[in-house]
Every structure is written in structure tokens, then in C-alpha cells.
Amino acid sequence: MTSGPVAAGRSKTRGVVLDLIRAAHTVSRVELAANSGLTPPTITQVVRELMEHGLVVEAGRGASTGGKPPTLLRLNPQARYSVGVLFERNICVVVVTDLAGRPVARTSFHGTELLPPELALPLVASRVEALLGTVGVERGKVLGVGLVSYGPQDRQAGVLLTHQPTAEWFGYPIAPQLSELLDLPVLLDNDAAAAAIGEYWLGAVEQSSTYGCIYMASGIGGAVVSAGGIYRGSSSNSVEIGHISIDPDGEECDCGNRGCLENYAGPGAVIRQAFATEGLARRLGLDPLGIDCLADFALIAAAAADDPQARGLIERSAGHLAVGAVTMATLFDLDLIVLAGPSYAAAGPTFRSLIEREVQRRSFARRAHPVAVVQSVNGSDAAAIGGAALVLQSELAILDLPTSG
């Protein structure tokens, strides 16, 4: 058996080859050598190991270029699985994905928002266990759990650095505790970053693209991906677009800044504006206790199709989000912005069209290249699916398979 630096290097090489096969869907060994910079003998050896462990299978013959048609390779989706968990203030979503990042099972539930972590995490763990049991996935094939949530976070320690949903969550070892409950590796990450990488993993964006994601659930987050890698910053709390200031004289935000975008465009802000609009909250049946922010925002967004007052609130939110989108596009020279998260479900086309119009009019590099705005291919489950994809990306990059050497 190999060990130490040699084994680590071999694991990294396997991860590179696996990611190339995943991105290409089907690819020959010759193409892998050309695209990876690895020698043909190395590719042959790595592919043999991957096939021996069932991660890669042959997928027929490619087109001949004058000689024998090449044998094509593809991932074996059933070889490994991953779990993604979105831990939101108002809802939890759990998905199981296969090795290609495609969802094979899903569940969602309420009830964790007012629970202390000692009660909430066992509930989450039980739902993960139940979902894995429903689809009959062998435990040894599960690479781990991507737990995605809002920030700020300490990803290395696996803790949230926020007092939401309640003060008990600040500094609580959420990832280590869930890992202990499930006996699986748990990776904590930002929900917007997860949603962004999910687009790349499922092939919805070009591999070379530099794109941003504006994620909106009960709050607003952001992420930027370049050539498949997330821009992290010094503490992995980057591109928090919801907390850029659009009014320096605005009210103080919980984050410590003033006039934050989230406090003008986020679901909570729209709901407050609805209650301030005479008769609107009552007409739409909004909850005066404000327990479920996502549900109330969905009522306003759905009503926007026929109710002028509701439509005005949604368009105002989209206008403020457009300011954030222009800022993001200008700072990172983006060619694409993805809108992801459950709060776009009912009024996504309105947000998309208004934001794209402003980005195309106002972004700094608009004369050099257009900036498209699209809705996520993963819909409301973008962050949970992306969380599973982050685990696949992380674990496959350091894949440790038994080898003889």
C-alpha cells in the first residue's frame, strides 16, 4: 500500500480525472490526457483504478479520427452518494444526490427555527437517516453531508457566528455535532456559495465562466465562481451582497453596518412594507406574528400577478436587488448572474427581467461583454443540492482508494 505524499498525490490526481469525466459527461482517455496535462500512462493507470472501484464505467465508442474508435468513459452515478442539508431560519431541506450531483430523493420540514441546537440537530439527523433509508442507499457509499446555512460562519470549526435563529446558535459546533449524530463527515458552508457551485456541478454554466449568484431565502446572500472555484476571501465570508450599504444614513443592521441591501430588498423588508400598506397584509392573509417569513413573502409574490400594490412591493425589491447585482458584476467582471433560492419561486421572472435590464444598462464592462441574468436550474432547492455537490467536489478531490504500490 502507498502512503504519505505519494498517496496524497495519487488521490489528488484521481480527483482531477474524476472531475474532468464528470464535466465532459463522456470522454476518451486521449482527451483526458490532453485536458489534464497528465501523461497517457498515468491516465491509463488512474482510469483502471477508478474502474476497479466502480466509480467510472465504459460508455461505448467515440467517433474515429482515422484509427480505432476510442473507448468513452463516464461516471457511474450509483457508485457514491452525497447529502445536502439547507438549514434555514424557517425551513430545512434535505436532498440525496448521486455521484453526478443529480437529486435522487428530497424532503423538507419546518420546526427547527425556535428549537435550541440540542433538539434541532437530532431532528435534522433523523430526517437525513430516514431519507437515506427510503432510497436504500448503502451507508458505505455516502461520502458525507453538506450542511449549508447563512453567515457569518467559521467553516473550519463548523460553527455559525450569528445569533440567528436564536442566541443559542452563536458559536455552537453545528457541523461537528451533526457529524457525531450521523457518523458521517459534515462540511459547513454558505448557502449562496452552495447554490452557486451547484450550477457548475450540474453543467448549467460554462466551465470557464466567471459568474455570480444572488441567493434569496429569508435573507440575501451572494457568491462568485470562477472556473469552477468559489471566491472565498480571507475567512470564507465573502460576497455578502445582502450587507452592502445602499443608504449610508439608513438604519443600523444586525451585522453592524447601516443601510444594508437586505433591509430594503429582502423578504422581511417586503413583508414590513406590506403591513405598512393600508389593507394589503389583511387582504393577503399575512401572519401578524411573522413566524414564517418565507410563507408570507410567497403570498406577496404570488399576489403580484394581479394585485398592483403587491406588484409594486416586488418591483421595489427587484430594483434594490439590481443595485446589488450591478455592484457584484462591476467588482468581479461577471458574465452571468444566477438568481437562486426559494424566495424567487413565485416572482422569479419579474426579478430576473428587472435585474437584467439594470445590469445591462449600468455595469461597468457592459461595452466589452453582456451580463446575462438567469434563474437557477435547481429552483428552490439550489442550496441543498449545491451542499451535496460541495461534498462531492471536496471528497473526490482527496479520494483515498486502496492501491497496490
Side-chain angles (χ1 to χ4, degrees):
M1 298 290 291
T2 57
S3 61
V6 173
R10 186 172 294 179
S11 294
K12 184 176 180 180
T13 299
R14 290 196 198 100
V16 169
V17 173
L18 268 172
D19 195 51
L20 287 171
I21 296 173
R22 176 203 61 78
H25 302 296
T26 58
V27 65
S28 70
R29 290 170 176 81
V30 172
E31 290 171 317
L32 285 174
N35 294 336
S36 67
L38 299 171
T39 65
T42 299
I43 290 294
T44 298
Q45 177 184 346
V46 170
V47 168
R48 183 186 300 119
E49 292 172 359
L50 294 174
M51 293 182 68
E52 286 174 355
H53 289 86
L55 298 173
V56 171
V57 295
E58 293 184 343
R61 298 282 186 175
S64 173
T65 57
K68 180 181 178 182
T71 300
L72 299 179
L73 305 166
R74 65 170 175 82
L75 290 185
N76 175 13
Q78 290 76 45
R80 296 289 190 278
Y81 294 86
S82 178
V83 178
V85 177
L86 168 64
F87 186 82
E88 236 288 324
R89 296 170 180 86
N90 295 119
I91 191 171
C92 280
V93 178
V94 182
V95 298
V96 178
T97 72
D98 62 19
L99 185 59
R102 298 176 303 202
V104 298
R106 176 203 187 270
T107 189
S108 65
F109 57 97
H110 295 266
T112 61
E113 58 267 24
L114 299 179
L115 293 177
E118 293 84 359
L119 296 178
L121 291 179
L123 174 60
V124 173
S126 70
R127 297 303 179 94
V128 172
E129 296 280 14
L131 194 61
L132 288 172
T134 298
V135 294
V137 173
E138 295 177 29
R139 197 52 173 263
K141 290 186 175 182
V142 181
L143 290 172
V145 178
L147 175 63
V148 299
S149 193
Y150 39 83
Q153 304 172 348
D154 182 338
R155 290 180 61 238
Q156 297 302 316
V159 304
L160 299 179
L161 301 177
T162 172
H163 293 90
Q164 298 175 352
T166 60
E168 299 133 299
W169 290 89
F170 184 91
Y172 189 85
I174 180 172
Q177 287 299 312
L178 187 59
S179 177
E180 183 175 329
L181 288 166
L182 290 169
D183 193 25
L184 286 169
V186 174
L187 173 70
L188 177 66
D189 215 315
N190 179 269
D191 47 14
I197 207 64
E199 301 292 306
Y200 171 81
W201 191 266
L202 291 179
V205 297
E206 296 291 333
Q207 284 185 269
S208 59
S209 177
T210 298
Y211 65 96
C213 176
I214 300 179
Y215 183 82
M216 187 160 67
S218 58
I220 299 171
V224 168
V225 176
S226 182
I230 299 173
Y231 175 76
R232 291 290 186 183
S234 62
S235 67
S236 292
N237 287 289
S238 62
V239 201
E240 282 290 345
I241 199 71
H243 293 283
I244 63 169
S245 179
I246 62 172
D247 181 2
D249 298 317
E251 293 185 5
E252 186 173 355
C253 179
D254 289 340
C255 75
N257 193 12
R258 285 189 174 276
C260 287
L261 172 64
E262 185 174 300
N263 294 334
Y264 292 82
V270 174
I271 293 167
R272 290 193 298 273
Q273 293 159 14
F275 275 99
T277 303
E278 185 176 356
L280 181 59
R282 184 175 62 255
R283 188 166 71 249
L284 299 183
L286 304 186
D287 179 8
L289 297 179
I291 294 175
D292 193 338
C293 172
L294 291 178
D296 281 348
F297 182 77
L299 290 173
I300 300 170
D306 303 307
D307 189 305
Q309 289 181 315
R311 183 166 58 253
L313 296 184
I314 293 299
E315 289 178 348
R316 182 189 300 176
S317 171
H320 288 309
L321 274 179
V323 174
V326 170
T327 300
M328 179 187 281
T330 298
L331 284 174
F332 295 97
D333 194 16
L334 307 178
D335 49 33
L336 176 70
I337 294 175
V338 178
L339 305 181
S343 290
Y344 295 113
T350 298
F351 280 101
R352 192 208 66 77
S353 62
L354 289 176
I355 291 171
E356 184 172 59
R357 182 188 68 193
E358 294 305 303
V359 167
Q360 291 182 348
R361 283 177 49 199
R362 297 163 53 189
S363 63
F364 183 78
R366 65 189 180 277
R367 295 181 181 88
H369 62 83
V371 182
V373 178
V374 300
Q375 289 186 253
S376 168
V377 297
N378 294 316
S380 295
D381 293 342
I385 294 170
L390 282 166
V391 170
L392 293 172
Q393 188 180 57
S394 173
E395 293 299 313
L396 292 179
I398 57 171
L399 191 66
D400 187 17
L401 299 176
T403 59
S404 57

